[in-house]
Amino acid sequence: MRIEILGVGFDNITMEQAVAEGVRLINTPGAHYAVTPNPEIVEVCRTDPEAMEAVRNADLVLADGIGIIYGAKLLGTPLKGRVTGIGFAQGLMGEMAQNGKSLFLLGAKPGVAEKAADKLRAAYPGLQIAGTRDGYFQEDGPVLEEIRASGADVAFVCLGAPKQEKWMRKNGAASGARLLVGLGGCLDVFSGEVQRAPEIFQRLGLEWFYRLVKNPSRIGRMMKLPLFLLHTAGERRP
Ligand code: UDP
């Protein structure tokens, strides 16, 4: 069942259920993709129909961000919990490692995906990294050919939002992968280039605050959060 917030339907599932669904999609013929919208992306979708279409058509829509949880509560239709993109990716890689599935890492600045691949191989013994490619390319064709030739079962697509959502919608089938997952800045974290917030911030739902303090230039993007809550409050069902 999906819970609608400002036009975006979120799957009402726990992390465990999300990972199980991801595994099911990997084992189902055809191309599938998962998105992990936070309040900022929902706000983008309100004014960008192509982004909205890409998000709404995803096979899995995960509630990434405490703001989404607040928004759902505000509407009187609470979600089971937060399913962060990074947590989902970690759970999925754990399962893939046990089942010999292969992963393509697409996105981030040159060199980052390779570094992430080394770290992930060590963290998930058995995980096959089929290939890597930075996210600064002009043409989709050669990139799709590279993923297809690698035979990857899954591709992590880390091009930032809403570029990655549109890219997956348009190109998922041509990649040959069974599951593509849009994961924003995750490769920067997996490579060790960027530190994730300490666990206490994560548990308190204050990861956004930590990122803001570390990188104050995010303030413009962060201002979308109060806007999102304001818009959600305006949609409140009687
Ligand atoms: N990026 C990319 N190609 C682009 C634009 C961005 O590969 O054309 C990468 C960028 O290097 C970064 C990620 O996409 O690794 C976006 O990170 P950000 O923290 O903005 O994403 P978020 O998780 O906040 O959506």
Side-chain angles (χ1 to χ4, degrees), residues 16-232:
E16 211 171 65
Q17 291 168 330
V19 172
E21 182 58 12
V23 169
R24 193 186 70 75
L25 292 172
I26 296 171
N27 292 308
T28 305
H32 312 90
Y33 69 98
V35 296
T36 60
N38 55 20
E40 191 191 333
I41 302 177
V42 175
E43 280 299 314
V44 169
C45 286
R46 295 183 74 233
T47 55
D48 181 341
E50 198 190 334
M52 180 64 101
E53 226 241 340
V55 168
R56 285 185 66 91
N57 276 290
D59 297 274
L60 256 181
V61 185
L62 304 176
D64 185 1
I66 195 73
I68 300 295
I69 302 301
Y70 285 147
K73 218 182 258 176
L74 213 58
L75 290 171
T77 47
L79 283 156
K80 284 183 182 162
R82 194 157 57 119
V83 184
T84 60
I86 198 159
F88 173 69
Q90 288 165 332
L92 202 63
M93 286 188 288
E95 293 290 330
M96 290 172 66
Q98 284 180 26
N99 298 297
K101 298 289 184 191
S102 63
L103 175 65
F104 195 100
L105 303 176
L106 173 64
K109 300 212 173 87
V112 175
E114 286 78 2
K115 224 165 138 186
D118 289 342
K119 293 256 166 80
L120 294 175
R121 272 192 204 99
Y124 299 91
L127 178 70
Q128 312 286 323
I129 305 283
T132 59
R133 177 75 166 76
D134 72 75
Y136 294 84
F137 50 88
Q138 303 303 321
E139 283 177 50
D140 294 340
V143 176
L144 289 165
E145 188 41 47
E146 212 174 314
I147 302 176
R148 181 176 275 284
S150 79
D153 300 294
V154 177
F156 287 173
V157 181
C158 304
L159 306 174
K163 187 172 178 181
Q164 64 203 9
E165 286 75 15
K166 294 178 184 176
W167 197 87
M168 293 191 295
R169 166 104 175 110
K170 181 168 165 235
N171 298 312
S175 75
R178 288 273 175 87
L179 177 65
L180 297 95
V181 189
L183 289 169
C186 277
L187 290 181
D188 298 317
V189 175
F190 291 147
S191 67
E193 298 274 303
V194 169
Q195 302 293 321
R196 207 180 164 194
E199 206 162 321
I200 181 75
F201 284 83
Q202 294 178 32
R203 255 191 287 129
L204 293 174
L206 289 173
E207 197 161 5
W208 61 271
F209 177 71
Y210 181 86
R211 291 178 86 180
L212 179 61
V213 171
K214 280 271 182 186
N215 188 356
S217 66
R218 292 178 75 93
I219 188 69
R221 296 173 54 171
M222 293 273 165
M223 286 317 287
K224 289 226 165 92
L225 178 62
L227 208 61
F228 164 82
L229 291 173
L230 208 70
H231 288 144
T232 307

